[in-house]
Amino acid sequence: MTTGSETHGSHPMEIRGAVQAGIPIFIGYFPAAVAFGILAKGCSTSLLEAFMFSAVVFAGASQFIALNLLMTGMGPGGIILTTLLVNFRHFLMSAYLSTRLRNLAHKTYFLLAFGVTDEVFSVLSFHKKALTPQFVFFLELSAWSGWVSGTVCGYVLGGFLPDILTQSMGVALYALLLAILMPALKTARVTVFLAVLSAVLNTLLIWLDLFPAGWTIIICILVVAFVGAMLTPEKKEVTCE
């Protein structure tokens, strides 16, 4: 396997290629982040808090979930745990990408892992050339800047919109989750079953009112993830004789 230092030519070429690859992500992130910024404004957060929320967390759908949980009065521990569970897949994505970025300092891995999102991972996975830290960093920076700038613009825009329209931006969370889920729903019946199970279980737990506000989501994540792991067939390794 080739390493990053052996490929891609000069850094300016890598940076330009990374920015070009990141433009579609920027365009896709910006309107979703505007919706988040408007919703954050409607939840009475400050501009600095909304900015730091996107700049430090940078977690897309999880930020919408966290904002909704804040409105329900859930504590920091529950919100952090929920965000961790929702984003747990990023550990697997980062672990895979680390195999394509060898011989880097540990702090570089941590920095690059911070910017891994579903869309960034998708672009990097299909990138045919060997990955370099410069390419990954500037691709992630393009995605990050789209999300953060959209949040700030949305927050400012939210100051001019009527309250009823600002509050309605909460529906963006469901649109975002549906966009993530829809490709899998079209191809796997197990995914459809798990989505229905999650909805039924969450509704049942809310109706029973056994747990504090927001904790039903954590329970649903754990139960449905366990059921999904049991129902997903194990892929057998194919060996050539």
Side-chain angles (χ1 to χ4, degrees):
M1 176 179 291
T2 57
T3 61
S5 59
E6 297 171 337
T7 58
H8 270 285
S10 61
H11 289 177
M13 291 293 290
E14 293 179 37
I15 295 172
R16 185 165 60 183
V19 172
Q20 288 175 342
I23 289 175
I25 301 178
F26 183 99
I27 295 173
Y29 275 10
F30 190 84
V34 168
F36 175 77
I38 294 174
L39 187 62
K41 174 68 176 178
C43 293
S44 302
T45 61
S46 67
L47 176 59
L48 178 61
E49 289 170 340
F51 168 79
M52 293 300 293
F53 206 157
S54 286
V56 176
V57 180
F58 186 39
S62 297
Q63 289 184 220
F64 283 91
I65 295 173
L67 209 52
N68 284 343
L69 292 178
L70 276 174
M71 297 304 295
T72 65
M74 192 175 194
I79 294 175
I80 293 173
L81 180 58
T82 303
T83 305
L84 175 66
L85 293 173
V86 172
N87 288 327
F88 209 81
R89 65 192 185 283
H90 292 169
F91 285 109
L92 300 178
M93 296 178 187
S94 300
Y96 165 73
L97 292 176
S98 68
T99 64
R100 297 182 61 184
L101 291 163
R102 300 290 179 84
N103 303 321
L104 300 180
H106 290 305
K107 60 182 180 182
T108 306
Y109 282 121
F110 281 114
L111 175 65
L112 297 181
F114 169 76
V116 174
T117 64
D118 296 328
E119 293 74 15
V120 168
F121 176 76
S122 178
V123 172
L124 293 177
S125 297
F126 288 102
H127 190 68
K128 295 181 179 178
K129 298 179 180 178
L131 297 179
T132 65
Q134 292 78 19
F135 184 86
V136 176
F137 174 78
F138 281 98
L139 176 67
E140 293 177 345
L141 183 62
S142 300
W144 182 88
S145 60
W147 185 257
V148 174
S149 61
T151 298
V152 174
C153 290
Y155 190 93
V156 175
L157 181 62
F160 300 98
L161 295 176
D163 290 341
I164 188 171
L165 187 59
T166 302
Q167 298 296 334
S168 67
M169 286 297 151
V171 76
L173 167 63
Y174 307 105
L176 201 59
L177 293 177
L178 271 178
I180 295 173
L181 196 59
M182 195 57 70
L185 290 176
K186 292 180 178 178
T187 57
R189 293 182 179 178
V190 172
T191 307
V192 177
F193 170 74
L194 293 175
V196 173
L197 174 63
S198 177
V200 172
L201 181 60
N202 188 54
T203 303
L204 179 63
L205 291 177
I206 291 175
W207 180 69
L208 293 174
D209 196 22
L210 298 175
F211 304 98
W215 283 91
T216 57
I217 295 178
I218 296 175
I219 295 171
C220 285
I221 291 173
L222 294 174
V223 171
V224 175
F226 176 78
V227 174
M230 293 296 103
L231 295 179
T232 302
E234 184 178 355
K235 293 184 179 180
K236 296 181 179 180
E237 185 177 353
V238 177
T239 56
C240 298
E241 296 181 354

